[in-house]
PDB file of all heavy atoms in Angstrom:
ATOM      1  N   GLN A 285     -41.314 -26.669   3.384  1.00 84.00           N
ATOM      2  CA  GLN A 285     -40.939 -26.546   4.839  1.00 84.00           C
ATOM      3  C   GLN A 285     -40.974 -27.980   5.458  1.00 84.00           C
ATOM      4  O   GLN A 285     -40.048 -28.332   6.219  1.00 84.00           O
ATOM      5  CB  GLN A 285     -42.000 -25.664   5.524  1.00 84.00           C
ATOM      6  CG  GLN A 285     -41.354 -24.829   6.662  1.00 84.00           C
ATOM      7  CD  GLN A 285     -42.370 -23.874   7.228  1.00 84.00           C
ATOM      8  OE1 GLN A 285     -43.487 -23.685   6.659  1.00 84.00           O
ATOM      9  NE2 GLN A 285     -42.052 -23.240   8.292  1.00 84.00           N
ATOM     10  N   LEU A 286     -42.036 -28.758   5.115  1.00 83.00           N
ATOM     11  CA  LEU A 286     -42.182 -30.080   5.663  1.00 83.00           C
ATOM     12  C   LEU A 286     -41.017 -31.010   5.197  1.00 83.00           C
ATOM     13  O   LEU A 286     -40.486 -31.736   5.933  1.00 83.00           O
ATOM     14  CB  LEU A 286     -43.555 -30.676   5.092  1.00 83.00           C
ATOM     15  CG  LEU A 286     -43.964 -31.995   5.699  1.00 83.00           C
ATOM     16  CD1 LEU A 286     -44.253 -31.977   7.142  1.00 83.00           C
ATOM     17  CD2 LEU A 286     -45.156 -32.487   4.964  1.00 83.00           C
ATOM     18  N   GLN A 287     -40.696 -30.844   3.935  1.00 84.00           N
ATOM     19  CA  GLN A 287     -39.607 -31.643   3.332  1.00 84.00           C
ATOM     20  C   GLN A 287     -38.301 -31.338   4.005  1.00 84.00           C
ATOM     21  O   GLN A 287     -37.511 -32.251   4.353  1.00 84.00           O
ATOM     22  CB  GLN A 287     -39.484 -31.384   1.839  1.00 84.00           C
ATOM     23  CG  GLN A 287     -38.353 -32.111   1.093  1.00 84.00           C
ATOM     24  CD  GLN A 287     -38.554 -33.638   1.099  1.00 84.00           C
ATOM     25  OE1 GLN A 287     -39.664 -34.126   1.063  1.00 84.00           O
ATOM     26  NE2 GLN A 287     -37.478 -34.374   1.218  1.00 84.00           N
ATOM     27  N   GLU A 288     -37.998 -30.030   4.237  1.00 88.00           N
ATOM     28  CA  GLU A 288     -36.750 -29.631   4.836  1.00 88.00           C
ATOM     29  C   GLU A 288     -36.747 -30.133   6.306  1.00 88.00           C
ATOM     30  O   GLU A 288     -35.669 -30.684   6.725  1.00 88.00           O
ATOM     31  CB  GLU A 288     -36.658 -28.064   4.865  1.00 88.00           C
ATOM     32  CG  GLU A 288     -36.110 -27.493   3.561  1.00 88.00           C
ATOM     33  CD  GLU A 288     -36.259 -25.977   3.442  1.00 88.00           C
ATOM     34  OE1 GLU A 288     -36.601 -25.359   4.477  1.00 88.00           O
ATOM     35  OE2 GLU A 288     -36.055 -25.417   2.409  1.00 88.00           O
ATOM     36  N   HIS A 289     -37.789 -30.037   7.038  1.00 86.00           N
ATOM     37  CA  HIS A 289     -37.899 -30.551   8.394  1.00 86.00           C
ATOM     38  C   HIS A 289     -37.654 -32.059   8.384  1.00 86.00           C
ATOM     39  O   HIS A 289     -36.872 -32.537   9.310  1.00 86.00           O
ATOM     40  CB  HIS A 289     -39.239 -30.196   8.991  1.00 86.00           C
ATOM     41  CG  HIS A 289     -39.456 -30.614  10.389  1.00 86.00           C
ATOM     42  ND1 HIS A 289     -38.654 -30.119  11.411  1.00 86.00           N
ATOM     43  CD2 HIS A 289     -40.331 -31.446  11.007  1.00 86.00           C
ATOM     44  CE1 HIS A 289     -39.003 -30.666  12.542  1.00 86.00           C
ATOM     45  NE2 HIS A 289     -40.035 -31.496  12.282  1.00 86.00           N
ATOM     46  N   PHE A 290     -38.262 -32.741   7.487  1.00 85.00           N
ATOM     47  CA  PHE A 290     -38.135 -34.173   7.384  1.00 85.00           C
ATOM     48  C   PHE A 290     -36.653 -34.582   7.064  1.00 85.00           C
ATOM     49  O   PHE A 290     -36.123 -35.433   7.757  1.00 85.00           O
ATOM     50  CB  PHE A 290     -39.070 -34.693   6.298  1.00 85.00           C
ATOM     51  CG  PHE A 290     -38.895 -36.099   5.961  1.00 85.00           C
ATOM     52  CD1 PHE A 290     -39.296 -37.113   6.906  1.00 85.00           C
ATOM     53  CD2 PHE A 290     -38.252 -36.574   4.780  1.00 85.00           C
ATOM     54  CE1 PHE A 290     -39.208 -38.399   6.601  1.00 85.00           C
ATOM     55  CE2 PHE A 290     -38.125 -37.916   4.554  1.00 85.00           C
ATOM     56  CZ  PHE A 290     -38.591 -38.826   5.489  1.00 85.00           C
ATOM     57  N   ASP A 291     -36.028 -33.862   6.184  1.00 87.00           N
ATOM     58  CA  ASP A 291     -34.610 -34.064   5.839  1.00 87.00           C
ATOM     59  C   ASP A 291     -33.669 -33.873   6.989  1.00 87.00           C
ATOM     60  O   ASP A 291     -32.767 -34.681   7.252  1.00 87.00           O
ATOM     61  CB  ASP A 291     -34.145 -33.225   4.688  1.00 87.00           C
ATOM     62  CG  ASP A 291     -34.762 -33.717   3.316  1.00 87.00           C
ATOM     63  OD1 ASP A 291     -35.194 -34.808   3.302  1.00 87.00           O
ATOM     64  OD2 ASP A 291     -34.775 -32.957   2.383  1.00 87.00           O
ATOM     65  N   ALA A 292     -33.951 -32.763   7.749  1.00 88.00           N
ATOM     66  CA  ALA A 292     -33.116 -32.446   8.969  1.00 88.00           C
ATOM     67  C   ALA A 292     -33.268 -33.539   9.971  1.00 88.00           C
ATOM     68  O   ALA A 292     -32.261 -34.013  10.605  1.00 88.00           O
ATOM     69  CB  ALA A 292     -33.563 -31.102   9.516  1.00 88.00           C
ATOM     70  N   LEU A 293     -34.499 -34.039  10.172  1.00 88.00           N
ATOM     71  CA  LEU A 293     -34.786 -35.110  11.191  1.00 88.00           C
ATOM     72  C   LEU A 293     -34.059 -36.398  10.789  1.00 88.00           C
ATOM     73  O   LEU A 293     -33.435 -37.108  11.604  1.00 88.00           O
ATOM     74  CB  LEU A 293     -36.258 -35.374  11.278  1.00 88.00           C
ATOM     75  CG  LEU A 293     -37.042 -34.500  12.222  1.00 88.00           C
ATOM     76  CD1 LEU A 293     -38.503 -34.812  12.078  1.00 88.00           C
ATOM     77  CD2 LEU A 293     -36.640 -34.748  13.672  1.00 88.00           C
ATOM     78  N   ARG A 294     -34.119 -36.672   9.475  1.00 86.00           N
ATOM     79  CA  ARG A 294     -33.458 -37.882   8.929  1.00 86.00           C
ATOM     80  C   ARG A 294     -31.919 -37.854   9.168  1.00 86.00           C
ATOM     81  O   ARG A 294     -31.335 -38.766   9.570  1.00 86.00           O
ATOM     82  CB  ARG A 294     -33.829 -38.078   7.472  1.00 86.00           C
ATOM     83  CG  ARG A 294     -33.443 -39.489   7.040  1.00 86.00           C
ATOM     84  CD  ARG A 294     -34.197 -39.843   5.741  1.00 86.00           C
ATOM     85  NE  ARG A 294     -33.973 -38.902   4.700  1.00 86.00           N
ATOM     86  CZ  ARG A 294     -34.470 -39.008   3.463  1.00 86.00           C
ATOM     87  NH1 ARG A 294     -35.249 -40.044   3.184  1.00 86.00           N
ATOM     88  NH2 ARG A 294     -34.224 -38.107   2.514  1.00 86.00           N
ATOM     89  N   ARG A 295     -31.363 -36.621   8.892  1.00 90.00           N
ATOM     90  CA  ARG A 295     -29.902 -36.465   9.047  1.00 90.00           C
ATOM     91  C   ARG A 295     -29.568 -36.670  10.523  1.00 90.00           C
ATOM     92  O   ARG A 295     -28.548 -37.387  10.873  1.00 90.00           O
ATOM     93  CB  ARG A 295     -29.473 -35.024   8.566  1.00 90.00           C
ATOM     94  CG  ARG A 295     -29.129 -34.992   7.111  1.00 90.00           C
ATOM     95  CD  ARG A 295     -28.312 -33.724   6.806  1.00 90.00           C
ATOM     96  NE  ARG A 295     -29.021 -32.491   7.247  1.00 90.00           N
ATOM     97  CZ  ARG A 295     -29.914 -31.914   6.479  1.00 90.00           C
ATOM     98  NH1 ARG A 295     -30.217 -32.363   5.271  1.00 90.00           N
ATOM     99  NH2 ARG A 295     -30.517 -30.802   6.948  1.00 90.00           N
ATOM    100  N   GLU A 296     -30.323 -35.974  11.401  1.00 89.00           N
ATOM    101  CA  GLU A 296     -30.056 -36.080  12.862  1.00 89.00           C
ATOM    102  C   GLU A 296     -30.121 -37.510  13.327  1.00 89.00           C
ATOM    103  O   GLU A 296     -29.264 -37.991  14.107  1.00 89.00           O
ATOM    104  CB  GLU A 296     -31.082 -35.211  13.584  1.00 89.00           C
ATOM    105  CG  GLU A 296     -30.700 -34.881  15.018  1.00 89.00           C
ATOM    106  CD  GLU A 296     -31.799 -34.078  15.728  1.00 89.00           C
ATOM    107  OE1 GLU A 296     -32.422 -33.206  15.069  1.00 89.00           O
ATOM    108  OE2 GLU A 296     -32.077 -34.369  16.881  1.00 89.00           O
ATOM    109  N   HIS A 297     -31.153 -38.198  12.894  1.00 86.00           N
ATOM    110  CA  HIS A 297     -31.380 -39.658  13.258  1.00 86.00           C
ATOM    111  C   HIS A 297     -30.183 -40.448  12.797  1.00 86.00           C
ATOM    112  O   HIS A 297     -29.646 -41.289  13.583  1.00 86.00           O
ATOM    113  CB  HIS A 297     -32.628 -40.072  12.620  1.00 86.00           C
ATOM    114  CG  HIS A 297     -32.939 -41.501  12.781  1.00 86.00           C
ATOM    115  ND1 HIS A 297     -33.246 -42.069  14.030  1.00 86.00           N
ATOM    116  CD2 HIS A 297     -32.888 -42.572  11.916  1.00 86.00           C
ATOM    117  CE1 HIS A 297     -33.432 -43.352  13.860  1.00 86.00           C
ATOM    118  NE2 HIS A 297     -33.212 -43.659  12.627  1.00 86.00           N
ATOM    119  N   LYS A 298     -29.698 -40.286  11.594  1.00 87.00           N
ATOM    120  CA  LYS A 298     -28.618 -40.998  11.023  1.00 87.00           C
ATOM    121  C   LYS A 298     -27.334 -40.834  11.879  1.00 87.00           C
ATOM    122  O   LYS A 298     -26.626 -41.745  12.137  1.00 87.00           O
ATOM    123  CB  LYS A 298     -28.386 -40.628   9.549  1.00 87.00           C
ATOM    124  CG  LYS A 298     -27.537 -41.660   8.775  1.00 87.00           C
ATOM    125  CD  LYS A 298     -27.447 -41.208   7.334  1.00 87.00           C
ATOM    126  CE  LYS A 298     -26.454 -42.071   6.591  1.00 87.00           C
ATOM    127  NZ  LYS A 298     -26.194 -41.573   5.231  1.00 87.00           N
ATOM    128  N   GLU A 299     -27.019 -39.542  12.157  1.00 91.00           N
ATOM    129  CA  GLU A 299     -25.865 -39.198  12.935  1.00 91.00           C
ATOM    130  C   GLU A 299     -25.895 -39.810  14.264  1.00 91.00           C
ATOM    131  O   GLU A 299     -24.921 -40.330  14.750  1.00 91.00           O
ATOM    132  CB  GLU A 299     -25.674 -37.666  13.042  1.00 91.00           C
ATOM    133  CG  GLU A 299     -25.150 -37.029  11.810  1.00 91.00           C
ATOM    134  CD  GLU A 299     -25.383 -35.493  11.755  1.00 91.00           C
ATOM    135  OE1 GLU A 299     -25.712 -34.881  12.849  1.00 91.00           O
ATOM    136  OE2 GLU A 299     -25.310 -34.924  10.655  1.00 91.00           O
ATOM    137  N   THR A 300     -27.062 -39.769  14.965  1.00 89.00           N
ATOM    138  CA  THR A 300     -27.175 -40.355  16.302  1.00 89.00           C
ATOM    139  C   THR A 300     -26.921 -41.887  16.286  1.00 89.00           C
ATOM    140  O   THR A 300     -26.199 -42.399  17.103  1.00 89.00           O
ATOM    141  CB  THR A 300     -28.620 -40.109  16.884  1.00 89.00           C
ATOM    142  OG1 THR A 300     -28.905 -38.709  16.735  1.00 89.00           O
ATOM    143  CG2 THR A 300     -28.762 -40.533  18.317  1.00 89.00           C
ATOM    144  N   LEU A 301     -27.492 -42.536  15.305  1.00 86.00           N
ATOM    145  CA  LEU A 301     -27.333 -43.949  15.139  1.00 86.00           C
ATOM    146  C   LEU A 301     -25.895 -44.311  14.877  1.00 86.00           C
ATOM    147  O   LEU A 301     -25.365 -45.248  15.469  1.00 86.00           O
ATOM    148  CB  LEU A 301     -28.216 -44.529  13.995  1.00 86.00           C
ATOM    149  CG  LEU A 301     -29.672 -44.725  14.308  1.00 86.00           C
ATOM    150  CD1 LEU A 301     -30.424 -45.160  13.014  1.00 86.00           C
ATOM    151  CD2 LEU A 301     -29.858 -45.847  15.292  1.00 86.00           C
ATOM    152  N   GLN A 302     -25.195 -43.530  14.027  1.00 89.00           N
ATOM    153  CA  GLN A 302     -23.761 -43.778  13.730  1.00 89.00           C
ATOM    154  C   GLN A 302     -22.926 -43.634  15.009  1.00 89.00           C
ATOM    155  O   GLN A 302     -22.083 -44.421  15.272  1.00 89.00           O
ATOM    156  CB  GLN A 302     -23.250 -42.868  12.633  1.00 89.00           C
ATOM    157  CG  GLN A 302     -23.670 -43.325  11.277  1.00 89.00           C
ATOM    158  CD  GLN A 302     -23.397 -42.270  10.176  1.00 89.00           C
ATOM    159  OE1 GLN A 302     -23.046 -41.139  10.491  1.00 89.00           O
ATOM    160  NE2 GLN A 302     -23.455 -42.647   8.934  1.00 89.00           N
ATOM    161  N   GLU A 303     -23.266 -42.639  15.757  1.00 90.00           N
ATOM    162  CA  GLU A 303     -22.441 -42.347  17.037  1.00 90.00           C
ATOM    163  C   GLU A 303     -22.705 -43.518  18.002  1.00 90.00           C
ATOM    164  O   GLU A 303     -21.724 -43.996  18.638  1.00 90.00           O
ATOM    165  CB  GLU A 303     -23.085 -41.050  17.635  1.00 90.00           C
ATOM    166  CG  GLU A 303     -22.195 -40.440  18.740  1.00 90.00           C
ATOM    167  CD  GLU A 303     -20.713 -40.350  18.340  1.00 90.00           C
ATOM    168  OE1 GLU A 303     -20.422 -39.723  17.291  1.00 90.00           O
ATOM    169  OE2 GLU A 303     -19.841 -40.748  19.055  1.00 90.00           O
ATOM    170  N   LEU A 304     -23.963 -43.921  18.108  1.00 87.00           N
ATOM    171  CA  LEU A 304     -24.277 -45.109  19.013  1.00 87.00           C
ATOM    172  C   LEU A 304     -23.439 -46.359  18.573  1.00 87.00           C
ATOM    173  O   LEU A 304     -22.876 -47.046  19.423  1.00 87.00           O
ATOM    174  CB  LEU A 304     -25.742 -45.435  18.971  1.00 87.00           C
ATOM    175  CG  LEU A 304     -26.606 -44.725  19.994  1.00 87.00           C
ATOM    176  CD1 LEU A 304     -28.089 -45.004  19.710  1.00 87.00           C
ATOM    177  CD2 LEU A 304     -26.328 -45.239  21.404  1.00 87.00           C
ATOM    178  N   GLN A 305     -23.435 -46.587  17.309  1.00 85.00           N
ATOM    179  CA  GLN A 305     -22.769 -47.753  16.775  1.00 85.00           C
ATOM    180  C   GLN A 305     -21.296 -47.686  17.018  1.00 85.00           C
ATOM    181  O   GLN A 305     -20.648 -48.668  17.463  1.00 85.00           O
ATOM    182  CB  GLN A 305     -23.023 -47.934  15.243  1.00 85.00           C
ATOM    183  CG  GLN A 305     -24.328 -48.609  14.942  1.00 85.00           C
ATOM    184  CD  GLN A 305     -24.630 -48.684  13.470  1.00 85.00           C
ATOM    185  OE1 GLN A 305     -24.371 -47.702  12.776  1.00 85.00           O
ATOM    186  NE2 GLN A 305     -25.082 -49.844  13.024  1.00 85.00           N
ATOM    187  N   ARG A 306     -20.733 -46.532  16.844  1.00 90.00           N
ATOM    188  CA  ARG A 306     -19.310 -46.290  17.081  1.00 90.00           C
ATOM    189  C   ARG A 306     -18.955 -46.594  18.620  1.00 90.00           C
ATOM    190  O   ARG A 306     -18.022 -47.312  18.897  1.00 90.00           O
ATOM    191  CB  ARG A 306     -18.849 -44.809  16.823  1.00 90.00           C
ATOM    192  CG  ARG A 306     -18.293 -44.687  15.356  1.00 90.00           C
ATOM    193  CD  ARG A 306     -17.474 -43.451  15.277  1.00 90.00           C
ATOM    194  NE  ARG A 306     -18.233 -42.249  15.500  1.00 90.00           N
ATOM    195  CZ  ARG A 306     -18.958 -41.639  14.557  1.00 90.00           C
ATOM    196  NH1 ARG A 306     -19.011 -42.099  13.328  1.00 90.00           N
ATOM    197  NH2 ARG A 306     -19.590 -40.582  14.871  1.00 90.00           N
ATOM    198  N   ALA A 307     -19.768 -46.054  19.476  1.00 88.00           N
ATOM    199  CA  ALA A 307     -19.600 -46.216  20.884  1.00 88.00           C
ATOM    200  C   ALA A 307     -19.644 -47.723  21.235  1.00 88.00           C
ATOM    201  O   ALA A 307     -18.860 -48.191  22.011  1.00 88.00           O
ATOM    202  CB  ALA A 307     -20.609 -45.457  21.717  1.00 88.00           C
ATOM    203  N   HIS A 308     -20.652 -48.389  20.663  1.00 83.00           N
ATOM    204  CA  HIS A 308     -20.864 -49.818  20.972  1.00 83.00           C
ATOM    205  C   HIS A 308     -19.644 -50.634  20.499  1.00 83.00           C
ATOM    206  O   HIS A 308     -19.072 -51.446  21.274  1.00 83.00           O
ATOM    207  CB  HIS A 308     -22.024 -50.356  20.144  1.00 83.00           C
ATOM    208  CG  HIS A 308     -23.229 -50.577  20.979  1.00 83.00           C
ATOM    209  ND1 HIS A 308     -24.059 -49.511  21.314  1.00 83.00           N
ATOM    210  CD2 HIS A 308     -23.746 -51.676  21.578  1.00 83.00           C
ATOM    211  CE1 HIS A 308     -25.092 -50.024  22.024  1.00 83.00           C
ATOM    212  NE2 HIS A 308     -24.868 -51.267  22.198  1.00 83.00           N
ATOM    213  N   GLU A 309     -19.127 -50.301  19.306  1.00 87.00           N
ATOM    214  CA  GLU A 309     -17.973 -51.064  18.769  1.00 87.00           C
ATOM    215  C   GLU A 309     -16.773 -50.833  19.676  1.00 87.00           C
ATOM    216  O   GLU A 309     -16.011 -51.717  19.927  1.00 87.00           O
ATOM    217  CB  GLU A 309     -17.644 -50.578  17.337  1.00 87.00           C
ATOM    218  CG  GLU A 309     -18.522 -51.139  16.255  1.00 87.00           C
ATOM    219  CD  GLU A 309     -18.488 -52.653  16.168  1.00 87.00           C
ATOM    220  OE1 GLU A 309     -17.359 -53.225  16.290  1.00 87.00           O
ATOM    221  OE2 GLU A 309     -19.566 -53.277  15.987  1.00 87.00           O
ATOM    222  N   GLU A 310     -16.525 -49.559  20.041  1.00 90.00           N
ATOM    223  CA  GLU A 310     -15.367 -49.184  20.901  1.00 90.00           C
ATOM    224  C   GLU A 310     -15.433 -49.956  22.215  1.00 90.00           C
ATOM    225  O   GLU A 310     -14.399 -50.586  22.587  1.00 90.00           O
ATOM    226  CB  GLU A 310     -15.445 -47.708  21.162  1.00 90.00           C
ATOM    227  CG  GLU A 310     -14.106 -47.003  20.776  1.00 90.00           C
ATOM    228  CD  GLU A 310     -14.285 -45.483  20.851  1.00 90.00           C
ATOM    229  OE1 GLU A 310     -14.118 -44.915  21.946  1.00 90.00           O
ATOM    230  OE2 GLU A 310     -14.607 -44.901  19.776  1.00 90.00           O
ATOM    231  N   GLU A 311     -16.581 -49.965  22.919  1.00 86.00           N
ATOM    232  CA  GLU A 311     -16.715 -50.637  24.150  1.00 86.00           C
ATOM    233  C   GLU A 311     -16.510 -52.146  24.035  1.00 86.00           C
ATOM    234  O   GLU A 311     -15.847 -52.765  24.793  1.00 86.00           O
ATOM    235  CB  GLU A 311     -18.107 -50.430  24.778  1.00 86.00           C
ATOM    236  CG  GLU A 311     -18.163 -50.778  26.202  1.00 86.00           C
ATOM    237  CD  GLU A 311     -19.549 -50.516  26.802  1.00 86.00           C
ATOM    238  OE1 GLU A 311     -20.383 -49.906  26.255  1.00 86.00           O
ATOM    239  OE2 GLU A 311     -19.732 -51.028  28.006  1.00 86.00           O
ATOM    240  N   LYS A 312     -17.010 -52.663  22.893  1.00 84.00           N
ATOM    241  CA  LYS A 312     -16.892 -54.087  22.677  1.00 84.00           C
ATOM    242  C   LYS A 312     -15.421 -54.481  22.499  1.00 84.00           C
ATOM    243  O   LYS A 312     -14.937 -55.490  23.068  1.00 84.00           O
ATOM    244  CB  LYS A 312     -17.675 -54.449  21.374  1.00 84.00           C
ATOM    245  CG  LYS A 312     -17.899 -55.952  21.187  1.00 84.00           C
ATOM    246  CD  LYS A 312     -18.830 -56.190  20.018  1.00 84.00           C
ATOM    247  CE  LYS A 312     -18.079 -56.108  18.665  1.00 84.00           C
ATOM    248  NZ  LYS A 312     -18.892 -56.414  17.543  1.00 84.00           N
ATOM    249  N   LEU A 313     -14.707 -53.676  21.723  1.00 88.00           N
ATOM    250  CA  LEU A 313     -13.226 -53.986  21.492  1.00 88.00           C
ATOM    251  C   LEU A 313     -12.461 -53.891  22.748  1.00 88.00           C
ATOM    252  O   LEU A 313     -11.598 -54.709  23.012  1.00 88.00           O
ATOM    253  CB  LEU A 313     -12.692 -52.984  20.399  1.00 88.00           C
ATOM    254  CG  LEU A 313     -13.140 -53.239  18.969  1.00 88.00           C
ATOM    255  CD1 LEU A 313     -12.674 -52.127  18.053  1.00 88.00           C
ATOM    256  CD2 LEU A 313     -12.546 -54.567  18.422  1.00 88.00           C
ATOM    257  N   LEU A 314     -12.744 -52.824  23.548  1.00 88.00           N
ATOM    258  CA  LEU A 314     -12.026 -52.620  24.828  1.00 88.00           C
ATOM    259  C   LEU A 314     -12.234 -53.819  25.773  1.00 88.00           C
ATOM    260  O   LEU A 314     -11.244 -54.358  26.370  1.00 88.00           O
ATOM    261  CB  LEU A 314     -12.488 -51.308  25.492  1.00 88.00           C
ATOM    262  CG  LEU A 314     -11.864 -50.062  24.961  1.00 88.00           C
ATOM    263  CD1 LEU A 314     -12.590 -48.822  25.558  1.00 88.00           C
ATOM    264  CD2 LEU A 314     -10.370 -49.906  25.208  1.00 88.00           C
ATOM    265  N   LEU A 315     -13.518 -54.175  25.841  1.00 83.00           N
ATOM    266  CA  LEU A 315     -13.857 -55.358  26.757  1.00 83.00           C
ATOM    267  C   LEU A 315     -13.168 -56.648  26.255  1.00 83.00           C
ATOM    268  O   LEU A 315     -12.606 -57.392  27.087  1.00 83.00           O
ATOM    269  CB  LEU A 315     -15.356 -55.513  26.781  1.00 83.00           C
ATOM    270  CG  LEU A 315     -16.134 -54.603  27.718  1.00 83.00           C
ATOM    271  CD1 LEU A 315     -17.583 -54.795  27.513  1.00 83.00           C
ATOM    272  CD2 LEU A 315     -15.777 -54.910  29.142  1.00 83.00           C
ATOM    273  N   ALA A 316     -13.159 -56.869  24.904  1.00 81.00           N
ATOM    274  CA  ALA A 316     -12.595 -58.144  24.400  1.00 81.00           C
ATOM    275  C   ALA A 316     -11.141 -58.152  24.660  1.00 81.00           C
ATOM    276  O   ALA A 316     -10.589 -59.194  25.053  1.00 81.00           O
ATOM    277  CB  ALA A 316     -12.941 -58.160  22.917  1.00 81.00           C
ATOM    278  N   GLU A 317     -10.371 -57.019  24.421  1.00 87.00           N
ATOM    279  CA  GLU A 317      -8.984 -56.936  24.620  1.00 87.00           C
ATOM    280  C   GLU A 317      -8.624 -57.137  26.129  1.00 87.00           C
ATOM    281  O   GLU A 317      -7.730 -57.879  26.384  1.00 87.00           O
ATOM    282  CB  GLU A 317      -8.449 -55.580  24.148  1.00 87.00           C
ATOM    283  CG  GLU A 317      -6.952 -55.373  24.260  1.00 87.00           C
ATOM    284  CD  GLU A 317      -6.088 -56.463  23.592  1.00 87.00           C
ATOM    285  OE1 GLU A 317      -6.617 -57.080  22.656  1.00 87.00           O
ATOM    286  OE2 GLU A 317      -5.009 -56.656  24.052  1.00 87.00           O
ATOM    287  N   SER A 318      -9.356 -56.436  26.984  1.00 83.00           N
ATOM    288  CA  SER A 318      -9.126 -56.564  28.402  1.00 83.00           C
ATOM    289  C   SER A 318      -9.304 -58.042  28.868  1.00 83.00           C
ATOM    290  O   SER A 318      -8.524 -58.589  29.645  1.00 83.00           O
ATOM    291  CB  SER A 318     -10.060 -55.633  29.192  1.00 83.00           C
ATOM    292  OG  SER A 318     -10.134 -56.014  30.495  1.00 83.00           O
TER     293      SER A 318
END
């Protein structure tokens, strides 16, 4: 149960970080182009 919970947390954390990075990159490109 502990291992499953840990894996789920790790997945969630990874997805959140990827989403944040995508948003950052997008905003950076838009600002640079403008």
Side-chain angles (χ1 to χ4, degrees):
Q285 215 174 349
L286 185 66
Q287 179 65 34
E288 279 170 8
H289 182 58
F290 174 72
D291 287 343
L293 275 173
R294 194 161 53 179
R295 270 197 305 276
E296 196 183 321
H297 173 70
K298 196 178 173 187
E299 281 163 19
T300 309
L301 279 173
Q302 281 172 348
E303 194 52 50
L304 267 171
Q305 277 177 316
R306 264 200 300 275
H308 257 81
E309 281 301 320
E310 236 168 83
E311 194 179 348
K312 194 172 81 179
L313 288 172
L314 282 171
L315 279 173
E317 180 55 26
S318 160

